[in-house]
Amino acid sequence: MLRLAVSGDPLLSASDVELRRDGPSYSIDTIEALRDGDPIAWVVGSDGLDTFRTWHRFEAFARHCHIVAVVRPGTEVAPLTGFSLVDDPASLARHERGCLFVLPHRMLDVSASRIRGILSHGGDASALLPSPVWTYIRERGLYHR
């Protein structure tokens, strides 16, 4: 479904690196596996950053990537140790790692859990999903009780 979701944007791609990994899969391991010299921007909902200091090897993130925070309704973004807050997305290309950029627009109040909940009750989530993903779910009858 992720491949379907990004298929219309040449700047995005889906990776199965986490599926191919034996054992637990941690975000920092994925970042290290994907890093090829170009800067990596790890996109995270602001609600996920609330627990950032509990993530496996969280202190290594600033040495390997930038973080782009997408603000979810009802949350804020606190400074992260090791990251410099930048207000210009072009900074992410100028620096190899260690920048925190907060997207200036709040994201929709939608989550995978909410979409699964809608679908499990027979609801229509077409407005919340890319068209190819909605078609895939509907054709296969996924997430119904």
Side-chain angles (χ1 to χ4, degrees):
M1 284 189 277
L2 182 57
R3 283 191 180 101
L4 290 171
V6 302
S7 64
D9 190 328
L11 298 176
L12 299 175
S13 64
S15 171
D16 64 355
V17 68
E18 290 184 331
L19 297 174
R20 292 183 280 120
R21 186 178 296 131
D22 290 332
S25 184
Y26 297 105
S27 296
I28 190 62
D29 297 332
T30 301
I31 290 166
E32 290 173 341
L34 295 175
R35 188 162 171 100
D36 63 1
D38 291 327
I40 291 178
W42 197 251
V43 181
V44 181
S46 56
D47 54 329
L49 287 181
D50 289 345
T51 60
F52 181 72
R53 286 177 179 74
T54 68
W55 292 12
H56 180 72
R57 295 181 48 220
F58 75 91
E59 68 286 345
F61 278 74
R63 293 191 308 269
H64 295 287
C65 70
H66 300 301
I67 290 186
V68 174
V70 182
V71 181
R72 287 193 186 265
T75 65
E76 297 297 325
V77 177
L80 296 176
T81 303
F83 287 88
S84 299
L85 184 63
V86 297
D87 59 5
D88 175 17
S91 297
L92 304 178
R94 288 192 301 268
H95 300 281
E96 189 176 331
R97 62 191 176 274
C99 294
L100 169 63
F101 176 70
V102 180
L103 285 174
H105 306 289
R106 294 195 175 274
M107 68 186 294
L108 295 174
D109 189 12
V110 64
S111 66
S113 298
R114 179 174 169 209
I115 291 170
R116 286 190 300 270
I118 291 168
L119 296 172
S120 71
H121 291 93
D124 181 343
S126 61
L128 303 174
L129 296 164
S131 181
V133 175
W134 173 243
T135 300
Y136 182 90
I137 290 170
R138 199 180 60 239
E139 287 176 350
R140 286 162 181 78
L142 302 179
Y143 305 109
H144 286 90
R145 287 186 179 178

